[in-house]
Amino acid sequence: MSGSHGPRPSSELKPAKLWPRDVVRVGAVGLRTRPMRAFLSALGIAIGIAAMVAVVGISSSSRAELDNQLDALGTNLLTVAPGTRLTGEQAQLPLTAEAMVGRIRPVRAQSAIGRVDDASVYRSDKIPAVETNGIIAYAARPNLLDTIGGVVRSGKWIDAATGRYPATVLGASAAERLGITRAGPDTQVLIGNTWFTVLGILEPAALAPELDSAALMGWPAADTALDFDGHPTTIYTRSDDAQVEAVRSVLGATANPEAPNEVEVSRPSDALAAKQAAGEAFTGLLLGLGAVALLVGGVGVANIMVISVLERRAEIGLRRSLGATRGQIRTQFLTESLLLSALGGVGGAALGSAVSAGYAAYQNWLTVIPLWALAGGIAATLVIGGLAGLYPAIRASRLSPTEALATP
C-alpha cells in the first residue's frame, strides 16, 4: 500500500527564499569581515561625492549671496557715461545731461560724478608726483550714496554745506592705498595743490566699483579749488523696475541728443551676473573633476569585489553545495557592492555638506545645499556600485560547487 505521506522527490525541493533583510545581512558579511578594506574602498567613492556636493553647495551659496546682494542694492540702477567719437577720441557728456535725464518720467532718482582732470591725490606733499596710486579725483552730488546704495564706513558723506569746502570722502581702496583708516578733521590729503580734509571713508561699492579708488568732493569745491569744468563723467539713475529696459533704450539719446552714439548706457548688475556666470563655468570644471574622482572610486570598488570573489571561492562553493542558487550568489555580491558604494555615498554627502557649510560660514553667506545634489550624489554612487559589482557578482554565480570547493 502506497501512502501519500512519504518524502517528496528531490526534484520537487525548492531553495529557501531570501528576504530583503537576509539579503542585506548576507551582503554585509564581506564588509564586516574586512572592515579596513571596506573603509578604504568606500573612501574613494566618498571623496568623489564630497567634491561634487561641496562644489555645488559652495556655488549655490555664492549665487544666493549674489541674489541677496542684488535684491538689497537693486537691479534698476542704470549708468550713463561718455563713449568714444568716430575719430577714436574720448567723448564728453553735455553740461545739460543730468537735467535732461531727470526729465524721463520713470526715473525716480539720479546723481552724478565728474572726473577732475590733473588732480592727483597724495597723502603728503613729499611723495613723488608719479606715485599716484591710481586714485582719481571726482566731483560728486550730495545724493550720490542714496542713488547707488553706498555706505559710509567712517565719518560722514558730503552734503550741501560741506560740499562748498575742501573736504573729501575716500573710496575703500583709495583709503587703503593712502594708509588712512579713519576720517577726521586732523586727517588731510593733497588733491592737486589743495589740502582736503578727509570727511569720510566708504565701504566697497558693489554697483559702482569706480568709486572704490576715488577721492570724492562736492561739486562747488571742485570748481573753486581745482577748476573743474562741470561735465559729468557718469550719471546714475534709478527707475521703476518695470520700466528699466524702456528707460535704458532712451537714456543715450536723452543725455546727448546731438550725438547719442557717443553715449554708453550700462546696467551694473549685469557685470555682477557676468561674474557669476564665469564662476559657474569654473564650477562646471570642478564638477568634472569630482566626476572623475567618483569614477576612480567605482573602479576601486570593482577591483575590491573581484578580489573578494577570488578570496571567497570556498565560501561560495559551500553555499552552493548547501543549496544556494546562482541568483542568490549573484544577489549577495551585488548587494555587497551596493552597500559599499552607499556607505561611501552617504559619507561623501555628509563630508561635502560640512565643507560647504564651513566655507559659507567663513564667508558669512547663507548655506544653500540643493537637495538634488545630495540625492543625486547618493543615487550616482548606487549606479556606480551596481555597475562595479555586476561583473564580480556574475563571475561568482558561475562558479560550480565542486570547482569552488576544490580551490585551495
Side-chain angles (χ1 to χ4, degrees):
M1 180 177 177
S2 59
S4 58
H5 300 287
R8 293 183 179 181
S10 59
S11 59
E12 297 182 12
L13 292 178
K14 296 182 179 180
K17 183 178 181 181
L18 289 179
W19 296 97
R21 181 180 61 182
D22 299 323
V23 171
V24 174
R25 181 174 55 80
V26 173
V29 169
L31 305 185
R32 294 196 303 267
T33 56
R34 299 169 179 84
M36 182 55 66
R37 179 186 294 180
F39 170 76
L40 294 177
S41 301
L43 183 61
I45 293 285
I47 291 174
I49 293 300
M52 298 177 71
V53 171
V55 168
V56 173
I58 291 173
S59 177
S60 299
S61 300
S62 174
R63 191 178 303 111
E65 176 65 19
L66 176 62
D67 291 340
N68 291 337
Q69 185 180 14
L70 291 179
D71 289 341
L73 298 175
T75 58
N76 57 356
L77 178 67
L78 298 174
T79 64
V80 180
T84 56
R85 298 189 174 94
L86 295 177
T87 58
E89 299 175 349
Q90 182 69 37
Q92 194 175 47
L93 292 177
L95 292 172
T96 59
E98 285 184 82
M100 294 293 289
V101 168
R103 295 176 183 176
I104 301 175
R105 186 181 299 273
V107 173
R108 295 189 285 103
Q110 70 175 72
S111 191
I113 59 173
R115 179 166 179 165
V116 182
D117 295 325
D118 301 324
S120 298
V121 183
Y122 302 98
R123 185 69 175 89
S124 166
D125 56 0
K126 307 300 182 182
I127 297 175
V130 295
E131 297 182 9
T132 62
N133 283 320
I135 302 173
I136 302 173
Y138 287 101
R141 299 298 187 188
N143 64 341
L144 176 64
L145 287 195
D146 292 336
T147 304
I148 68 167
V151 177
V152 177
R153 176 192 300 169
S154 174
K156 62 180 182 178
W157 176 244
I158 303 165
D159 55 27
T162 56
R164 298 195 301 267
Y165 300 99
T168 183
V169 174
L170 300 175
S173 298
E176 182 179 354
R177 295 170 192 173
L178 293 171
I180 298 175
T181 57
R182 295 183 61 84
D186 56 342
T187 304
Q188 293 186 323
V189 293
L190 184 64
I191 304 179
N193 295 317
T194 304
W195 288 99
F196 280 70
T197 300
V198 178
L199 192 64
I201 298 174
L202 300 180
E203 293 281 3
L207 294 182
E210 62 274 10
L211 301 184
D212 292 344
S213 58
L216 303 157
M217 65 201 71
W219 218 273
D223 180 26
T224 57
L226 302 173
D227 296 327
F228 174 50
D229 61 12
H231 287 273
T233 301
T234 304
I235 300 174
Y236 305 91
T237 68
R238 290 279 188 181
S239 308
D240 296 331
D241 292 339
Q243 300 294 326
V244 170
E245 293 303 324
V247 172
R248 190 176 189 177
S249 65
V250 301
L251 268 177
T254 304
N256 192 353
E258 296 182 359
N261 60 301
E262 297 178 0
V263 179
E264 293 183 355
V265 180
S266 64
R267 190 172 183 174
S269 57
D270 290 344
L272 293 178
K275 182 179 179 181
Q276 180 65 32
E280 290 177 356
F282 186 66
T283 297
L285 175 61
L286 293 179
L287 284 176
L289 295 177
V292 171
L294 180 59
L295 180 60
V296 171
V299 172
V301 170
N303 184 48
I304 291 300
M305 293 307 301
V306 170
I307 295 175
S308 180
V309 170
L310 295 176
E311 290 181 345
R312 296 162 64 186
R313 284 189 173 190
E315 175 192 336
I316 296 170
L318 181 60
R319 291 201 61 210
R320 289 298 311 279
S321 64
L322 292 176
T325 65
R326 293 178 182 271
Q328 289 174 345
I329 297 296
R330 187 165 51 245
T331 301
Q332 173 188 349
F333 282 88
L334 188 59
T335 301
E336 182 176 333
S337 178
L338 289 174
L339 289 175
L340 189 60
S341 299
L343 181 63
V346 173
L351 178 60
S353 300
V355 172
S356 298
Y359 187 81
Y362 174 75
Q363 295 288 348
N364 292 322
W365 295 346
L366 176 67
T367 302
V368 178
I369 303 175
L371 181 61
W372 64 263
L374 298 175
I378 296 176
T381 61
L382 294 179
V383 173
I384 292 291
L387 294 176
L390 188 59
Y391 169 72
I394 294 175
R395 181 173 179 176
S397 68
R398 289 179 177 175
L399 290 175
S400 66
T402 54
E403 178 186 1
L405 289 173
T407 303

